[in-house]
Amino acid sequence: MSLFSSLFSPLGTLLTTMANGLDPLFGASAAAAAIVLFTLCVRAALHPLARAAVRGEKARAALAPKIAELGRKHKGDPERMRRAMVELRAKEGASPLAGCLPTLVQLPVFFVMYHAFSTGGGAGDLLDHTLAGAPLGGRWDGALGGGTGLVYLGLFALIAAVATWTYLRARKATVPGAPGVARVLPLLSFGTLVTAAVVPLAAALYLATSTTWTAVERALLHRG
């Protein structure tokens, strides 16, 4: 916990500096713009990991015919099938969980963001800033019945659209014979929507920006 705590103050200082620089362009929403810009910088730094993850996914897709052959060869013997698949993936260097690496690396960053904007620790006065009138430290249930509810509605609509698109692409790309965890992973895209509904607006904004980046990034990488 002390490691994360040491990051709270620098993060708050960085976001405040970014917000001050963006104030002439975004006014009262400068802090929100700073969060978006910060998120884009984080994701750009993680891009090499994303490229590695996509290479792993393509390698797994290339193994689909061999996996299907193993299924026919070891039909009725699940244990031999499992061992054969483990050996095949080890030989080809294809991990079934390679695509999770960028997400796992982001978790400490999101934890710091959540702490800063849910408790105010290290965030300076950024919790007092707004996005189209909605407090960055507020939650959607506090905006029900008010005009600021449209901010949350738009944010949730964006996350839901990205989650649906990601789910459909991931489900289509799941190779035959994939382990159960690989078949369940596409559903995790909707977990972002659930998380955004319970965290402060600032953290939800980080999530929306990050998931949108992920969707666009993966689409472009898979085209290459």
Side-chain angles (χ1 to χ4, degrees), residues 18-98:
M18 293 173 67
N20 290 337
L22 294 171
D23 185 71
L25 293 176
F26 296 96
S29 297
I35 293 172
V36 172
L37 180 58
F38 171 80
T39 304
L40 295 177
C41 290
V42 170
R43 294 312 311 272
L46 295 176
H47 182 67
L49 292 179
R51 293 180 67 89
V54 169
R55 285 196 298 270
E57 291 170 3
K58 290 181 177 180
R60 292 198 305 275
L63 291 180
K66 295 182 180 180
I67 292 176
E69 177 62 27
L70 288 176
R72 291 189 292 269
K73 181 178 179 181
H74 301 297
K75 184 177 181 180
D77 193 340
E79 181 58 25
R80 290 190 64 184
M81 174 64 179
R82 185 191 65 80
R83 290 199 302 266
M85 289 181 62
V86 170
E87 293 173 0
L88 177 63
R89 290 196 176 99
K91 179 180 177 181
E92 301 293 337
S95 168
L97 299 179

Side-chain angles (χ1 to χ4, degrees), residues 15 19 21 55 87 111 118 125 139 161 166:
L15 288 173
R55 285 196 298 270
E87 293 173 0
F111 175 83
S118 62
D125 64 346
R139 290 173 169 77
T166 300

Side-chain angles (χ1 to χ4, degrees), residues 138-160:
R139 290 173 169 77
W140 73 275
D141 54 349
L144 293 178
T148 59
L150 294 177
V151 174
Y152 293 90
L153 180 61
L155 200 63
F156 293 160
L158 172 62
I159 294 175

